[in-house]
Amino acid sequence: MTIKSKDWYAWLNTMPPKPDDFHVVGDVEVANPGIVAVLTRRSPKGSDQKALMLDLHLVQQPGKWIQQISWTQAKYDQVMPPNSPIYTTVEIFYEGERIAFIEEIGRVS
């Protein structure tokens, strides 16, 4: 299934106090406003510890929703343990296909 997405961005927040945290956001086109976009860590992770791989899941919330194409934000947040590798790339997958690749990781410090 083809899915439309845009505006993917990732950043590492190193502002005090510790611990640091890492974030990924992007917009995903969905069939109705009751669908929530969820990013989870891909399993298996892969061999490169500096490459974060995420799976996108679309979850329909209960209730009646108008069938109207809309955009929703997918978001991933992770607290970085001490001495953990700093991610240099992020890949986002939907139903086994890569839909986004982020190679410029922002930094807030």
Side-chain angles (χ1 to χ4, degrees), residues 5-78:
S5 68
K6 63 181 182 178
D7 299 333
W8 289 101
Y9 184 70
W11 72 96
L12 175 64
N13 178 7
T14 59
M15 296 210 33
K18 291 288 185 187
D20 297 341
D21 45 61
F22 190 81
H23 308 274
V24 179
V25 295
D27 295 325
V28 180
E29 187 178 68
V30 293
N32 68 68
I35 296 176
V36 176
V38 179
L39 291 170
T40 60
R41 185 183 287 263
R42 189 174 176 94
S43 184
K45 293 191 301 187
S47 60
D48 185 356
Q49 296 296 314
K50 293 185 177 189
L52 177 61
M53 298 170 70
L54 301 174
D55 279 319
L56 171 67
H57 305 277
L58 300 179
V59 181
Q60 177 66 62
Q61 298 301 297
K64 294 183 180 184
W65 298 91
I66 186 169
Q67 296 302 302
Q68 174 182 336
I69 300 295
S70 55
W71 291 89
T72 189
Q73 187 177 70
K75 192 164 135 178
Y76 176 82
D77 300 304
Q78 176 185 341

